[in-house]
Amino acid sequence: NPNRMWGGRYALGPAEIMEKINASIDFDRRLYAQDIAGSMAHADMLVAQGILTAKDGRAIKRGLAQIRAEIESGKFRFSTKLEDIHFNVEARLTDLIGPAGGRLHTARSRNDQVALDVRLWVRDTIDRLENMLRDLQSALIDRAEEYAATIMPGFTHLQTAQPITFGHHLLAYVEMVGRDRGRLRDCRARMNVSPLGAAALAGSPHPIDPRKTAKALGFDGPMANSLDAVSDRDYVVEFLGAASLAAVHLSRLAEEIVIWCSAPFRFIALSDAFTTGSSIMPQKRNPDAAELIRGKVGRIVGAFVALCTIMKGLPLTYGKDMQEDKEPLFDAADALELCIGAMTGMIRDLKANPERMRAVASADYSVATDLADWLVREIGLPFRQAHHVTGVLVGKAAAKGIDLDKLSLDEMQAVEPRITAAVYGVLTVEASVAARKSIGGTAPANVARAVKEARRRFLGP
Ligand code: ARG
């Protein structure tokens, strides 16, 4: 029979183009380990329930173990004619062990099987990515400790706003990555239920025990509704949502690295290991990894949009449309894994240029707010009025092309007679950052403490 999969009803094989659009083996072979683990748990359950003999169960597990070894050693011959990973494994199993191989699919459909495989794959991927994000946090925290007192300009609108510390800036990303990890964990907790037992869509007439397979595969339990079990891809969408936001965060940091590396900024430098040269301009050191992280967010967010679009019009339950979940999922996970790894490498690699950062932080009247705050604190001006007085003083200094602390006391008192020489004490970038000791503020003392806290909160005891 030309059709090994559903030969009973079919006399003829599929059109070539039908085979081509239908086959998923080129990408879903990636699920082989999950598929085989699921089949082993299913076989054990069938034996325990008396649906399969112990002898058949043993033959099936032996065959599956051999198939896994064949795949891992590159000896397995995948066939497009056999459509997907499920049929490829099952066909080989029957070749290996005979008719017992055909009993494995009792009380199961590819619908609950694929739902299981993808779930297991997403769960493994979440664990791996969360671990990598933890490593990224560890790198950021180490560098934050090193640069706890390194002054740089803080920006709003990419305009110099107030002096901050580089360590504080890096710790902001530690918080963002911490939320990304939390979102992945939330997704994992919600998705950790087993679809096995739903079979095609309605459940099974065999005396199966889905609690057994769920437990064996590390799930909290079986899914409550068989229709939901085979048609739910929420976990893929949630994972891609969490991945998108993580990628957005990495992209923002990547953009900052690109800016900081640029000649007009020169805040940081990356080593040879994380830059590339130009084929024509000998002087170039381009931060390609940062640019690629910024670029790859497109395919990750694209995958999220693709999944939402695939699912939005699907009636219950399974539709072949859902086969389209895998390529975007795999691609996005691969891209995110690369991005996290490359970002961790860059963070460990980068070298700050504290002189340059401090010089830029001191320019453009970055301590103007400190002057206004002094007027509020020391002579009791309402903040609005202090803002106005400071604005006039900044205008005076700017007209003369000098910094605020280069205005003489006479010049200041001409604007506000109650100003004293003590004001000069707050007009340095060091005083500015040191004063910002409020909760979550940028003071070096805070950063040193925040580093310890972050290690405890995110890296464990
Ligand atoms: N390759 C399919 C997928 O990825 C497996 C499930 C097919 N089920 C079916 N009834 N055609 O979705």
Side-chain angles (χ1 to χ4, degrees), residues 24 28 83-84 86 110-111 114 318 320 322-323 326:
S24 54
D28 68 13
E83 203 179 315
D84 57 23
H86 323 298
R110 280 187 299 155
N111 295 349
V114 74
Y318 179 82
K320 195 66 174 245
M322 286 155 79
Q323 179 164 289
K326 290 170 206 62

Side-chain angles (χ1 to χ4, degrees), residues 211-260:
R211 277 171 310 211
K212 282 206 175 82
T213 38
K215 186 155 185 271
L217 294 164
F219 290 106
D220 298 333
M223 291 180 75
N225 182 296
S226 65
L227 306 180
D228 182 45
V230 294
S231 68
D232 171 35
R233 292 294 180 276
D234 287 6
Y235 57 97
V236 181
V237 177
E238 276 194 63
F239 167 73
L240 291 173
S244 292
L245 199 39
V248 165
H249 291 154
L250 292 173
S251 180
R252 292 182 75 173
L253 181 50
E255 167 68 356
E256 299 206 285
I257 289 175
V258 170
I259 292 173
W260 293 339

